[in-house]
Amino acid sequence: MPPQNLDAIFAALADPTRRAILTRLASGEAGVNELTEPFEMSQPAISKHLKVLERAGLVERAIDKQRRPARLKAKPMAAAVNWLEEFKEFWSSSFDQLDDLLTTLKQAELKEPGNE
Amino acid sequence: MPPQNLDAIFAALADPTRRAILTRLASGEAGVNELTEPFEMSQPAISKHLKVLERAGLVERAIDKQRRPARLKAKPMAAAVNWLEEFKEFWSSSFDQLDDLLTTLKQAELKEPGNE
DNA sequence: TACTTGCATAACCATCTGGTTATATTTTGA
DNA sequence: TCAAAATATAACCAGATGGTTATGCAAGTA
């Protein structure tokens, strides 16, 4: 789980077109033309997006005649989920309102003794 | 939960420095200098990263004398978790080997009848 | 063989990103 | 009042990103 992967995965997920492609692929593999159709975008643009998804390890390509159907490879996304899950633990314990209040009080304490 | 936020959130998470900042902030608020220290990077660079995190809604700034301590605002990250969780459902059901096999068979079926 | 389909690749462009150094701003503290 | 501290802002730069059009190429089909 090198951080480099996390970089690539999150970056890949940061584009709405790519997220839409992933969503589409979740219901089955698809060729480039098929993936291009829903978007107002050229086929090479989609090919580029697919390459980004490939580099992130989220998609793999097959060979079927002249087609290069893309298929989801969602396991790497677990890395992203994992990172976020670890965070979840933090906030659920440390970032509810009670803790917010404590932080605020602490702040007040620091500036209170003085003046303005 | 507009997709624009998802864009900004995932983009913000795509940088290791920013993830490190978030991790640091998880254990309490911190000023810019304090956040700069662990990195071999200038203070303005960190200020820029903080702005990216702010725009993504993941961090808020307070005012304490001349300090502008940053604090985690992790709730928006739930949007990212949410998107990924929805995906999780997909793979767990649709992307194990069995389904892989089904897809393959379906493909074969399409080409088998010998026509279009 | 020649045409078509499905896709990749190249060359180009504008904009964004992530960093820098230098400087300005604000507030504290002597 | 003046210097220092904490941060922001500006100007700049190289390289990445996201799109385009034009073209190449491999495999199926007439």
Side-chain angles (χ1 to χ4, degrees):
Chain A
M1 314 93 180
Q4 196 192 357
N5 281 353
L6 268 185
D7 287 14
I9 291 169
F10 280 129
L13 294 179
D15 186 277
T17 302
R18 287 194 292 264
R19 287 197 305 276
I21 290 177
L22 290 175
T23 301
R24 165 63 187 80
L25 292 180
S27 61
E29 64 172 36
V32 175
N33 284 338
E34 196 176 346
L35 289 173
T36 301
E37 206 184 323
F39 302 100
E40 300 202 333
M41 204 178 292
S42 67
Q43 167 261 309
I46 299 297
S47 283
K48 276 194 178 184
H49 281 304
L50 284 174
K51 240 177 198 163
V52 173
L53 291 169
E54 265 188 279
R55 282 202 318 254
L58 297 174
V59 148
E60 61 185 359
R61 311 296 299 270
I63 294 185
D64 168 38
K65 310 181 183 179
Q66 337 76 307
R67 296 176 67 238
R68 299 282 178 275
R71 182 185 307 191
L72 247 193
K73 239 181 81 185
K75 290 152 239 152
M77 225 181 308
V81 175
N82 220 42
W83 193 88
L84 287 166
E85 293 285 0
E86 284 181 24
F87 240 91
K88 224 180 191 173
E89 294 171 25
F90 272 121
W91 4 315
S92 47
S93 63
S94 313
F95 284 92
D96 44 22
Q97 289 166 338
L98 198 141
D99 190 76
D100 236 306
L101 179 64
L102 287 179
T103 311
T104 306
L105 290 178
K106 213 165 178 177
Q107 269 304 114
E109 224 181 311
L110 284 175
K111 71 178 294 188
E112 235 190 36
N115 49 343
E116 222 76 37
Chain B
M1 313 99 181
Q4 195 192 356
N5 281 354
L6 268 184
D7 288 13
I9 291 169
F10 280 128
L13 295 178
D15 186 277
T17 302
R18 286 194 291 265
R19 287 197 304 276
I21 290 177
L22 290 175
T23 302
R24 166 62 188 81
L25 291 180
S27 62
E29 64 171 36
V32 176
N33 283 338
E34 196 177 346
L35 289 171
T36 301
E37 205 185 321
F39 302 99
E40 300 202 332
M41 202 177 294
S42 67
Q43 167 261 309
I46 300 295
S47 283
K48 276 194 178 184
H49 281 304
L50 284 174
K51 245 184 193 156
V52 173
L53 291 169
E54 264 187 280
R55 281 202 317 254
L58 297 174
V59 148
E60 61 184 0
R61 311 295 299 273
I63 294 186
D64 167 40
K65 308 182 184 178
Q66 52 298 51
R67 295 175 67 238
R68 297 282 178 278
R71 180 186 310 190
L72 246 193
K73 239 180 80 183
K75 290 151 240 152
M77 225 183 305
V81 175
N82 220 42
W83 193 88
L84 287 166
E85 294 284 359
E86 284 182 23
F87 240 91
K88 224 179 192 174
E89 294 172 24
F90 272 120
W91 6 314
S92 49
S93 62
S94 313
F95 284 91
D96 46 20
Q97 290 165 340
L98 197 141
D99 190 77
D100 236 305
L101 179 63
L102 288 180
T103 310
T104 307
L105 290 178
K106 212 165 177 178
Q107 270 304 115
E109 223 181 311
L110 284 176
K111 70 181 293 192
E112 239 190 33
N115 51 342
E116 230 77 37

